[in-house]
Amino acid sequence: MFSNPIAKQSIWTTSALVLCAMTVPGMSLADSFSAQSDVTEVTLYPQSATVTREGQISLPAGQHEVTFTDIPASSIDGIIASLQSTVTGAALGPVTYARTATIGDAERYRTPEAKAAKAALDALEAQLRDETRKAAAVRLEVAAAEDTLAYLGRLSAGEATSVDTMAATADMIREHSLSARLAMADAAARAEAADRDLEALKDNITRAKAALDRLAPSEGDRLSITLALDVAEAGDVTVDFSYSVDDAYWRPMYTARLNTETGALDLTRAVQATQETGENWQNVMLRFATDNPARRSDPNEVYPWVRRIYEPQPVQELMRSADAEMGGYAEPVMSAPMAMDKQMATATLTGLSLTYSYPTPATLYSNEGMSEFALSEVALSPGLMVRAVPLFEDTGYLMAHFTNDTGEMLVPGSVRLIRDGVSLGETRLDTVVDGAEVDLAFGVVDGIRVTRTVLAKNEGDRGVISKSNEMSSDVRISVENLTAKSWPMEVIDRVSVSEQEDLKVDWSATPMPDVTNLDDKRGVMAWHFDLEAGKTQDITLKESLRWPEGMALE
């Protein structure tokens, strides 16, 4: 990303002013204060986000400089280019920017939640140190018992020792050896238990560190923003910042739950959001906007299209000319850049300008993947039918047909499909305006069996009679319902279509389809009927093609 020349000019201008204040008699430097700000609102877009944060500080009357050092410096140029500052309680003067060093513990753990998490981690680490010392003392007991046994093993009675003395010595060795072995076994057991406790304590510390990292900002560099403020009367001054970041985005997500027994369809609207700014957004107001600031804002330019005529050459000569000189084509002319066309084609939410506001303050952690936020749930009463396409498959698919009566547009997004509590994967929902009709497929209906048979003819068993200028076919479609309930059926097939006057196409069907040119697709037709349990419906489809002698069919 290119740097912002205006921002740099502001930095140098302010530096010059400070230098003048240091060298000109009668001028004094302003009092300097440090302040902190918190994220209060975030508007996420498909490829970026706008962050709003607020800081408050109590200042005496006079001219002051207030520095904020808590904005993550992940993309300084982008933040500075989009930064807007609003001050309440003082007049705003020049604004300067600089990259700051890593923030300290006082700034990282300033919220009550972060302080509590840090205290919990410190307590666990202190406990780990104490338990480690205790475990070491237990292992020393094991070593002492081993030393005792080694010493007892070296004891022996002299040659002139009496029998009574030897017996007493043996009794003493046996008594102390048993005591040492019991002590060693007890110490070893306590050492094993201490090791297990230490491992559990280390696991608790790992979890406590993770919890602290979720509550405290990262240790990366921060952007320093210094505001020159003129305070007329002592009191609280509120500063609001608004800026754009690239490392955050959202996408729509739907969950469609169909109950085939009741025919009810519940459509849950949600959004999946993520951010990697290095700062957790805790208890903030989230908005999800379909506008995309990353899209280009101006249309393509149309350039003159210069046409030229030339004398045709035989194909062989053209090929020799191309082999001899690849650059022998006409001079290039100015045209619209292809890269821009491709960039325009990647826009995913063209023409939409909706904003969804999450009803309560929410938290979106940094670098933790996708978080899903439910927006609303809509109860629908769809029409259910089984769609069969015998040209390609031998079964039917359950379709739910409904009208978008939510009162607003459904933006494009993925849809989780759940039928009778069973997850069927995902599909894609395109833009659905208010009042538009939608078809959602809810998987295969295994009890619907479909066959498409090319019937035999008198001249042979191929089922198709083909002459040099004529072809005919006779097809039977059979739909069998092996389930225990009746289903509304839709069977889709096609016949040939001619765009030439010399190619004649005749067709007939029994029964005739009730829809032709389905969805404005020529030759595509559909039959709709109810198929009761255990019943079979047959459809015959005939067509004949004729064309002049000497021509070929493709």
Side-chain angles (χ1 to χ4, degrees):
M1 182 178 294
F2 296 103
S3 61
N4 185 357
I6 297 178
K8 289 185 176 180
Q9 184 179 2
S10 175
I11 296 174
W12 288 112
T13 302
T14 305
S15 299
L17 292 174
V18 173
L19 181 61
C20 290
M22 297 173 62
T23 57
V24 177
M27 292 186 68
S28 60
L29 292 176
D31 293 333
S32 297
F33 296 87
S34 295
Q36 295 172 327
S37 63
D38 295 303
V39 177
T40 57
E41 297 180 8
V42 176
T43 299
L44 287 105
Y45 301 99
Q47 292 177 278
S48 61
T50 297
V51 179
T52 300
R53 57 195 313 137
E54 180 181 301
Q56 192 173 73
I57 184 173
S58 182
L59 294 175
Q63 295 182 345
H64 310 291
E65 289 184 346
V66 179
T67 301
F68 294 84
T69 58
D70 46 15
I71 297 180
S74 57
S75 54
I76 288 184
D77 291 335
I79 294 175
I80 293 176
S82 60
L83 183 67
Q84 300 181 47
S85 304
T86 304
V87 177
T88 302
L92 177 62
V95 180
T96 59
Y97 313 95
R99 185 188 291 272
T100 65
T102 302
I103 61 175
D105 287 351
E107 294 180 71
R108 288 198 71 204
Y109 312 129
R110 63 187 179 91
T111 66
E113 296 83 2
K115 289 179 180 178
K118 183 65 167 62
L121 176 60
D122 292 342
L124 287 172
E125 289 178 338
Q127 183 182 354
L128 177 63
R129 291 190 295 269
D130 186 55
E131 295 297 331
T132 300
R133 287 192 295 269
K134 292 180 180 179
V138 173
R139 283 189 286 272
L140 289 177
E141 293 182 29
V142 175
E146 292 174 344
D147 293 342
T148 299
L149 290 173
Y151 173 75
L152 292 174
R154 292 193 299 269
L155 291 178
S156 61
E159 294 182 358
T161 304
S162 64
V163 174
D164 292 338
T165 302
M166 293 178 61
T169 301
D171 290 340
M172 182 271 297
I173 292 175
R174 181 172 62 253
E175 178 181 353
H176 287 281
S177 175
L178 176 59
S179 177
R181 292 182 187 278
L182 290 174
M184 185 174 65
D186 177 69
R190 286 187 286 118
E192 291 179 1
D195 289 339
R196 290 193 298 269
D197 292 341
L198 288 176
E199 291 301 319
L201 191 54
K202 291 177 181 178
D203 291 340
N204 291 337
I205 290 176
T206 299
R207 286 190 288 270
K209 287 181 177 178
L212 179 60
D213 289 340
R214 295 188 76 191
L215 296 170
S218 64
E219 298 179 349
D221 287 349
R222 292 298 190 269
L223 175 63
S224 173
I225 303 177
T226 300
L227 310 177
L229 301 179
D230 189 351
V231 182
E233 296 182 3
D236 290 338
V237 175
T238 301
V239 180
D240 293 309
F241 297 112
S242 176
Y243 54 90
S244 297
V245 293
D246 295 330
D247 34 18
Y249 68 91
W250 77 281
R251 65 188 183 194
M253 189 70 200
Y254 301 89
T255 301
R257 294 179 175 86
L258 177 65
N259 187 322
T260 59
E261 295 297 326
T262 63
L265 174 61
D266 293 328
L267 184 65
T268 301
R269 297 186 304 162
V271 298
Q272 291 181 335
T274 188
Q275 61 105 346
E276 298 176 356
T277 62
E279 176 182 43
N280 297 325
W281 297 337
Q282 294 178 266
N283 299 320
V284 303
M285 299 305 300
L286 289 180
R287 287 190 292 269
F288 308 95
T290 58
D291 286 330
N292 192 347
R295 279 203 312 257
R296 55 178 296 163
S297 58
D298 56 328
N300 277 307
E301 183 72 25
V302 178
Y303 297 96
W305 188 10
V306 180
R307 308 300 299 271
R308 293 186 176 133
I309 61 173
Y310 61 93
E311 184 176 348
Q313 296 179 351
V315 175
Q316 293 82 358
E317 186 175 343
L318 286 174
M319 294 177 62
R320 287 195 299 271
S321 176
D323 292 338
E325 184 179 0
M326 293 300 295
Y329 296 101
E331 295 180 3
V333 297
M334 187 69 71
S335 61
M338 290 301 295
M340 291 186 180
D341 292 339
K342 291 181 179 179
Q343 184 178 358
M344 291 291 289
T346 58
T348 56
L349 296 176
T350 304
L352 302 181
S353 56
L354 300 176
T355 299
Y356 301 101
S357 298
Y358 201 66
T360 58
T363 297
L364 187 59
Y365 293 104
S366 178
N367 300 302
E368 288 202 5
M370 284 286 184
S371 296
E372 187 165 317
F373 300 89
L375 294 179
S376 64
E377 185 172 296
V378 182
L380 302 169
S381 299
L384 300 182
M385 67 178 179
V386 177
R387 177 175 294 168
V389 186
L391 191 63
F392 301 112
E393 297 185 272
D394 59 0
T395 188
Y397 288 81
L398 182 60
M399 308 297 298
H401 179 88
F402 64 92
T403 300
N404 177 18
D405 55 5
T406 62
E408 61 184 58
M409 180 185 301
L410 299 179
V411 298
S414 298
V415 184
R416 300 188 190 97
L417 299 172
I418 301 176
R419 187 183 74 187
D420 298 327
V422 178
S423 177
L424 302 176
E426 293 185 1
T427 187
R428 179 75 182 173
L429 183 70
D430 295 327
T431 302
V432 183
V433 299
D434 184 37
E437 297 181 345
V438 184
D439 282 342
L440 282 181
F442 280 86
V444 172
V445 181
D446 292 319
I448 300 298
R449 187 166 61 187
V450 184
T451 57
R452 191 178 194 273
T453 306
V454 178
L455 301 176
K457 294 234 178 162
N458 293 335
E459 287 77 6
D461 59 358
R462 293 181 304 161
V464 175
I465 301 174
S466 178
K467 298 180 180 179
S468 60
N469 65 335
E470 182 178 337
M471 177 181 289
S472 63
S473 63
D474 191 354
V475 174
R476 182 182 65 216
I477 299 171
S478 296
V479 184
E480 186 177 6
N481 183 2
L482 301 179
T483 71
K485 61 182 295 186
S486 175
W487 287 104
M489 295 295 307
E490 180 183 59
V491 179
I492 300 176
D493 213 286
R494 70 184 181 190
V495 292
S496 302
V497 175
S498 173
E499 295 182 344
Q500 298 172 298
E501 184 177 355
D502 289 339
L503 177 60
K504 307 296 183 182
V505 178
D506 296 318
W507 66 271
S508 63
T510 305
M512 289 293 289
D514 54 291
V515 178
T516 57
N517 295 334
L518 179 67
D519 296 331
D520 295 327
K521 293 179 286 187
R522 297 176 58 193
V524 180
M525 56 193 65
W527 291 261
H528 296 89
F529 52 88
D530 290 334
L531 187 59
E532 296 181 1
K535 299 296 184 179
T536 300
Q537 173 70 51
D538 289 338
I539 300 171
T540 58
L541 184 60
K542 299 180 180 181
E543 75 170 7
S544 175
L545 290 78
R546 300 184 307 280
W547 60 91
E549 290 281 357
M551 302 187 72
L553 176 68
E554 63 177 17

Short mmCIF file of all heavy atoms in Angstrom, two decimals, residues 235-278:
data_model
loop_
_atom_site.label_atom_id
_atom_site.label_comp_id
_atom_site.label_asym_id
_atom_site.label_seq_id
_atom_site.Cartn_x
_atom_site.Cartn_y
_atom_site.Cartn_z
N GLY A 235 -11.95 20.26 32.27
CA GLY A 235 -13.00 19.25 32.29
C GLY A 235 -12.63 18.05 31.45
O GLY A 235 -11.48 17.89 31.03
N ASP A 236 -13.62 17.20 31.25
CA ASP A 236 -13.39 15.98 30.47
C ASP A 236 -13.42 16.28 28.98
O ASP A 236 -14.30 17.02 28.49
CB ASP A 236 -14.46 14.93 30.78
CG ASP A 236 -14.31 14.36 32.18
OD1 ASP A 236 -13.19 14.44 32.72
OD2 ASP A 236 -15.31 13.84 32.73
N VAL A 237 -12.46 15.71 28.26
CA VAL A 237 -12.38 15.84 26.81
C VAL A 237 -12.54 14.44 26.21
O VAL A 237 -11.86 13.49 26.63
CB VAL A 237 -11.04 16.46 26.36
CG1 VAL A 237 -10.93 16.46 24.84
CG2 VAL A 237 -10.91 17.87 26.92
N THR A 238 -13.45 14.31 25.26
CA THR A 238 -13.71 13.03 24.61
C THR A 238 -13.17 13.07 23.18
O THR A 238 -13.43 14.04 22.45
CB THR A 238 -15.22 12.71 24.58
OG1 THR A 238 -15.70 12.68 25.92
CG2 THR A 238 -15.46 11.37 23.91
N VAL A 239 -12.45 12.03 22.80
CA VAL A 239 -11.86 11.93 21.46
C VAL A 239 -12.39 10.66 20.80
O VAL A 239 -12.34 9.58 21.40
CB VAL A 239 -10.32 11.90 21.51
CG1 VAL A 239 -9.75 11.78 20.10
CG2 VAL A 239 -9.78 13.14 22.20
N ASP A 240 -12.93 10.79 19.60
CA ASP A 240 -13.40 9.65 18.81
C ASP A 240 -12.52 9.51 17.58
O ASP A 240 -12.27 10.49 16.86
CB ASP A 240 -14.86 9.85 18.37
CG ASP A 240 -15.82 9.82 19.55
OD1 ASP A 240 -15.74 8.87 20.34
OD2 ASP A 240 -16.64 10.75 19.68
N PHE A 241 -12.05 8.27 17.35
CA PHE A 241 -11.28 7.95 16.15
C PHE A 241 -12.10 7.01 15.27
O PHE A 241 -12.79 6.12 15.77
CB PHE A 241 -9.96 7.27 16.51
CG PHE A 241 -9.02 8.12 17.32
CD1 PHE A 241 -8.73 7.80 18.63
CD2 PHE A 241 -8.42 9.23 16.76
CE1 PHE A 241 -7.86 8.57 19.37
CE2 PHE A 241 -7.55 10.01 17.50
CZ PHE A 241 -7.27 9.68 18.81
N SER A 242 -11.97 7.19 13.97
CA SER A 242 -12.58 6.26 13.00
C SER A 242 -11.58 6.02 11.89
O SER A 242 -11.01 6.98 11.34
CB SER A 242 -13.88 6.83 12.45
OG SER A 242 -14.41 5.98 11.45
N TYR A 243 -11.33 4.75 11.56
CA TYR A 243 -10.34 4.42 10.54
C TYR A 243 -10.67 3.05 9.94
O TYR A 243 -11.48 2.29 10.49
CB TYR A 243 -8.93 4.40 11.12
CG TYR A 243 -8.75 3.50 12.32
CD1 TYR A 243 -8.38 2.16 12.17
CD2 TYR A 243 -8.96 3.98 13.60
CE1 TYR A 243 -8.23 1.34 13.26
CE2 TYR A 243 -8.81 3.17 14.70
CZ TYR A 243 -8.44 1.84 14.53
OH TYR A 243 -8.31 1.03 15.61
N SER A 244 -10.04 2.75 8.81
CA SER A 244 -10.30 1.50 8.09
C SER A 244 -9.14 0.54 8.28
O SER A 244 -7.97 0.94 8.37
CB SER A 244 -10.49 1.77 6.59
OG SER A 244 -11.62 2.58 6.37
N VAL A 245 -9.48 -0.75 8.34
CA VAL A 245 -8.49 -1.82 8.39
C VAL A 245 -8.84 -2.85 7.32
O VAL A 245 -10.01 -3.05 6.99
CB VAL A 245 -8.44 -2.49 9.78
CG1 VAL A 245 -7.92 -1.53 10.82
CG2 VAL A 245 -9.81 -3.02 10.18
N ASP A 246 -7.80 -3.49 6.78
CA ASP A 246 -8.01 -4.47 5.71
C ASP A 246 -8.15 -5.90 6.22
O ASP A 246 -8.69 -6.75 5.52
CB ASP A 246 -6.84 -4.41 4.71
CG ASP A 246 -6.78 -3.07 3.99
OD1 ASP A 246 -7.84 -2.46 3.80
OD2 ASP A 246 -5.65 -2.65 3.64
N ASP A 247 -7.64 -6.17 7.42
CA ASP A 247 -7.57 -7.54 7.89
C ASP A 247 -8.80 -7.91 8.71
O ASP A 247 -8.71 -8.38 9.84
CB ASP A 247 -6.29 -7.78 8.71
CG ASP A 247 -5.87 -6.56 9.51
OD1 ASP A 247 -6.72 -5.68 9.70
OD2 ASP A 247 -4.70 -6.51 9.91
N ALA A 248 -9.99 -7.67 8.13
CA ALA A 248 -11.26 -8.07 8.76
C ALA A 248 -12.30 -8.16 7.66
O ALA A 248 -12.27 -7.37 6.69
CB ALA A 248 -11.68 -7.07 9.83
N TYR A 249 -13.22 -9.10 7.79
CA TYR A 249 -14.29 -9.20 6.80
C TYR A 249 -15.42 -10.07 7.34
O TYR A 249 -15.30 -10.69 8.40
CB TYR A 249 -13.78 -9.79 5.48
CG TYR A 249 -13.37 -11.24 5.53
CD1 TYR A 249 -14.28 -12.25 5.24
CD2 TYR A 249 -12.06 -11.61 5.89
CE1 TYR A 249 -13.90 -13.58 5.30
CE2 TYR A 249 -11.68 -12.93 5.94
CZ TYR A 249 -12.61 -13.91 5.64
OH TYR A 249 -12.24 -15.24 5.70
N TRP A 250 -16.54 -10.11 6.60
CA TRP A 250 -17.68 -10.95 6.96
C TRP A 250 -18.27 -11.56 5.71
O TRP A 250 -18.01 -11.10 4.59
CB TRP A 250 -18.74 -10.14 7.71
CG TRP A 250 -19.58 -9.25 6.83
CD1 TRP A 250 -19.22 -8.04 6.32
CD2 TRP A 250 -20.90 -9.51 6.35
NE1 TRP A 250 -20.23 -7.53 5.56
CE2 TRP A 250 -21.28 -8.41 5.56
CE3 TRP A 250 -21.79 -10.57 6.51
CZ2 TRP A 250 -22.52 -8.32 4.93
CZ3 TRP A 250 -23.04 -10.49 5.89
CH2 TRP A 250 -23.38 -9.38 5.11
N ARG A 251 -19.06 -12.62 5.91
CA ARG A 251 -19.77 -13.24 4.80
C ARG A 251 -21.10 -13.79 5.32
O ARG A 251 -21.19 -14.21 6.48
CB ARG A 251 -18.95 -14.37 4.18
CG ARG A 251 -18.69 -15.56 5.10
CD ARG A 251 -17.71 -16.53 4.48
NE ARG A 251 -17.50 -17.70 5.33
CZ ARG A 251 -16.51 -18.56 5.15
NH1 ARG A 251 -15.63 -18.37 4.19
NH2 ARG A 251 -16.39 -19.61 5.96
N PRO A 252 -22.14 -13.78 4.48
CA PRO A 252 -23.44 -14.29 4.91
C PRO A 252 -23.42 -15.81 5.07
O PRO A 252 -22.67 -16.51 4.40
CB PRO A 252 -24.39 -13.86 3.78
CG PRO A 252 -23.63 -12.86 2.97
CD PRO A 252 -22.19 -13.20 3.13
N MET A 253 -24.27 -16.30 5.95
CA MET A 253 -24.41 -17.73 6.17
C MET A 253 -25.86 -18.02 6.54
O MET A 253 -26.44 -17.33 7.37
CB MET A 253 -23.48 -18.21 7.30
CG MET A 253 -23.43 -19.73 7.43
SD MET A 253 -22.56 -20.49 6.03
CE MET A 253 -23.16 -22.18 6.13
N TYR A 254 -26.44 -19.02 5.90
CA TYR A 254 -27.83 -19.41 6.18
C TYR A 254 -27.86 -20.87 6.64
O TYR A 254 -27.00 -21.67 6.27
CB TYR A 254 -28.71 -19.27 4.93
CG TYR A 254 -28.77 -17.88 4.34
CD1 TYR A 254 -27.84 -17.47 3.39
CD2 TYR A 254 -29.74 -16.97 4.74
CE1 TYR A 254 -27.90 -16.20 2.84
CE2 TYR A 254 -29.81 -15.70 4.20
CZ TYR A 254 -28.87 -15.32 3.25
OH TYR A 254 -28.93 -14.06 2.72
N THR A 255 -28.87 -21.18 7.44
CA THR A 255 -29.16 -22.56 7.80
C THR A 255 -30.63 -22.82 7.51
O THR A 255 -31.50 -22.13 8.05
CB THR A 255 -28.86 -22.83 9.29
OG1 THR A 255 -27.49 -22.55 9.56
CG2 THR A 255 -29.14 -24.28 9.64
N ALA A 256 -30.88 -23.79 6.65
CA ALA A 256 -32.25 -24.14 6.26
C ALA A 256 -32.60 -25.49 6.87
O ALA A 256 -31.97 -26.51 6.54
CB ALA A 256 -32.39 -24.18 4.74
N ARG A 257 -33.60 -25.51 7.76
CA ARG A 257 -34.03 -26.74 8.42
C ARG A 257 -35.43 -27.10 7.91
O ARG A 257 -36.39 -26.37 8.14
CB ARG A 257 -34.05 -26.56 9.94
CG ARG A 257 -32.67 -26.35 10.56
CD ARG A 257 -32.77 -26.16 12.07
NE ARG A 257 -31.46 -26.07 12.70
CZ ARG A 257 -30.76 -24.95 12.80
NH1 ARG A 257 -31.26 -23.83 12.31
NH2 ARG A 257 -29.57 -24.94 13.38
N LEU A 258 -35.50 -28.26 7.26
CA LEU A 258 -36.76 -28.71 6.67
C LEU A 258 -37.29 -29.91 7.44
O LEU A 258 -36.57 -30.87 7.70
CB LEU A 258 -36.56 -29.09 5.19
CG LEU A 258 -37.78 -29.65 4.46
CD1 LEU A 258 -38.88 -28.59 4.35
CD2 LEU A 258 -37.39 -30.16 3.08
N ASN A 259 -38.59 -29.85 7.81
CA ASN A 259 -39.28 -30.96 8.43
C ASN A 259 -40.26 -31.52 7.40
O ASN A 259 -41.27 -30.89 7.07
CB ASN A 259 -40.03 -30.50 9.68
CG ASN A 259 -40.63 -31.65 10.46
OD1 ASN A 259 -41.13 -32.63 9.88
ND2 ASN A 259 -40.61 -31.55 11.78
N THR A 260 -39.94 -32.71 6.87
CA THR A 260 -40.78 -33.26 5.81
C THR A 260 -42.13 -33.75 6.32
O THR A 260 -43.06 -33.92 5.54
CB THR A 260 -40.04 -34.41 5.10
OG1 THR A 260 -39.72 -35.44 6.06
CG2 THR A 260 -38.76 -33.92 4.45
N GLU A 261 -42.24 -33.99 7.63
CA GLU A 261 -43.52 -34.44 8.18
C GLU A 261 -44.52 -33.28 8.26
O GLU A 261 -45.69 -33.43 7.89
CB GLU A 261 -43.31 -35.05 9.57
CG GLU A 261 -42.48 -36.33 9.57
CD GLU A 261 -43.15 -37.44 8.79
OE1 GLU A 261 -44.40 -37.51 8.81
OE2 GLU A 261 -42.43 -38.24 8.16
N THR A 262 -44.05 -32.13 8.73
CA THR A 262 -44.93 -30.97 8.87
C THR A 262 -44.87 -30.05 7.66
O THR A 262 -45.76 -29.20 7.49
CB THR A 262 -44.56 -30.18 10.13
OG1 THR A 262 -43.22 -29.66 9.98
CG2 THR A 262 -44.62 -31.06 11.37
N GLY A 263 -43.83 -30.18 6.85
CA GLY A 263 -43.66 -29.27 5.71
C GLY A 263 -43.12 -27.91 6.09
O GLY A 263 -43.08 -27.01 5.25
N ALA A 264 -42.66 -27.74 7.34
CA ALA A 264 -42.16 -26.44 7.80
C ALA A 264 -40.69 -26.28 7.39
O ALA A 264 -39.91 -27.24 7.42
CB ALA A 264 -42.30 -26.32 9.31
N LEU A 265 -40.32 -25.06 7.04
CA LEU A 265 -38.95 -24.72 6.69
C LEU A 265 -38.54 -23.50 7.50
O LEU A 265 -39.15 -22.43 7.38
CB LEU A 265 -38.82 -24.43 5.19
CG LEU A 265 -37.45 -23.93 4.71
CD1 LEU A 265 -36.37 -24.98 4.99
CD2 LEU A 265 -37.50 -23.58 3.23
N ASP A 266 -37.52 -23.67 8.35
CA ASP A 266 -36.99 -22.56 9.14
C ASP A 266 -35.67 -22.12 8.52
O ASP A 266 -34.74 -22.92 8.38
CB ASP A 266 -36.76 -22.98 10.60
CG ASP A 266 -38.06 -23.28 11.33
OD1 ASP A 266 -39.07 -22.62 11.00
OD2 ASP A 266 -38.07 -24.17 12.19
N LEU A 267 -35.61 -20.85 8.17
CA LEU A 267 -34.41 -20.29 7.55
C LEU A 267 -33.76 -19.32 8.53
O LEU A 267 -34.34 -18.28 8.87
CB LEU A 267 -34.76 -19.57 6.25
CG LEU A 267 -33.57 -19.01 5.44
CD1 LEU A 267 -32.70 -20.15 4.94
CD2 LEU A 267 -34.05 -18.15 4.30
N THR A 268 -32.59 -19.69 9.03
CA THR A 268 -31.84 -18.86 9.97
C THR A 268 -30.81 -18.05 9.21
O THR A 268 -29.99 -18.62 8.48
CB THR A 268 -31.15 -19.70 11.05
OG1 THR A 268 -32.14 -20.45 11.76
CG2 THR A 268 -30.40 -18.81 12.04
N ARG A 269 -30.84 -16.75 9.39
CA ARG A 269 -29.86 -15.88 8.77
C ARG A 269 -28.76 -15.57 9.79
O ARG A 269 -29.04 -15.25 10.93
CB ARG A 269 -30.49 -14.58 8.27
CG ARG A 269 -31.52 -14.80 7.18
CD ARG A 269 -32.00 -13.47 6.65
NE ARG A 269 -32.54 -12.62 7.71
CZ ARG A 269 -32.71 -11.31 7.60
NH1 ARG A 269 -32.35 -10.70 6.50
NH2 ARG A 269 -33.23 -10.61 8.59
N ALA A 270 -27.52 -15.66 9.34
CA ALA A 270 -26.38 -15.39 10.22
C ALA A 270 -25.25 -14.79 9.39
O ALA A 270 -25.31 -14.75 8.15
CB ALA A 270 -25.92 -16.66 10.93
N VAL A 271 -24.24 -14.33 10.07
CA VAL A 271 -23.02 -13.86 9.41
C VAL A 271 -21.82 -14.53 10.07
O VAL A 271 -21.83 -14.82 11.27
CB VAL A 271 -22.87 -12.32 9.47
CG1 VAL A 271 -24.03 -11.64 8.77
CG2 VAL A 271 -22.77 -11.85 10.91
N GLN A 272 -20.81 -14.78 9.28
CA GLN A 272 -19.53 -15.28 9.78
C GLN A 272 -18.50 -14.16 9.62
O GLN A 272 -18.32 -13.63 8.52
CB GLN A 272 -19.09 -16.53 9.02
CG GLN A 272 -19.96 -17.74 9.31
CD GLN A 272 -19.49 -18.98 8.57
OE1 GLN A 272 -18.85 -18.89 7.52
NE2 GLN A 272 -19.81 -20.15 9.08
N ALA A 273 -17.86 -13.80 10.73
CA ALA A 273 -16.93 -12.67 10.72
C ALA A 273 -15.59 -13.10 11.28
O ALA A 273 -15.50 -14.01 12.11
CB ALA A 273 -17.49 -11.51 11.54
N THR A 274 -14.53 -12.44 10.83
CA THR A 274 -13.19 -12.71 11.33
C THR A 274 -12.38 -11.42 11.26
O THR A 274 -12.67 -10.53 10.45
CB THR A 274 -12.49 -13.81 10.53
OG1 THR A 274 -11.26 -14.17 11.16
CG2 THR A 274 -12.20 -13.36 9.11
N GLN A 275 -11.38 -11.32 12.13
CA GLN A 275 -10.47 -10.18 12.10
C GLN A 275 -9.12 -10.59 12.63
O GLN A 275 -9.00 -11.46 13.50
CB GLN A 275 -11.05 -9.01 12.90
CG GLN A 275 -11.28 -9.29 14.37
CD GLN A 275 -10.24 -8.64 15.27
OE1 GLN A 275 -9.19 -8.19 14.81
NE2 GLN A 275 -10.51 -8.59 16.56
N GLU A 276 -8.07 -9.97 12.08
CA GLU A 276 -6.69 -10.27 12.46
C GLU A 276 -5.93 -8.97 12.68
O GLU A 276 -4.82 -8.80 12.19
CB GLU A 276 -6.02 -11.12 11.37
CG GLU A 276 -6.69 -12.48 11.16
CD GLU A 276 -6.08 -13.28 10.02
OE1 GLU A 276 -5.18 -12.73 9.35
OE2 GLU A 276 -6.49 -14.43 9.81
N THR A 277 -6.52 -8.07 13.42
CA THR A 277 -5.89 -6.77 13.66
C THR A 277 -4.87 -6.80 14.78
O THR A 277 -4.12 -5.84 14.98
CB THR A 277 -6.97 -5.72 14.00
OG1 THR A 277 -7.64 -6.11 15.21
CG2 THR A 277 -7.99 -5.62 12.87
N GLY A 278 -4.85 -7.88 15.57
CA GLY A 278 -3.98 -7.94 16.73
C GLY A 278 -4.60 -7.33 17.97
O GLY A 278 -3.94 -7.19 19.01
#
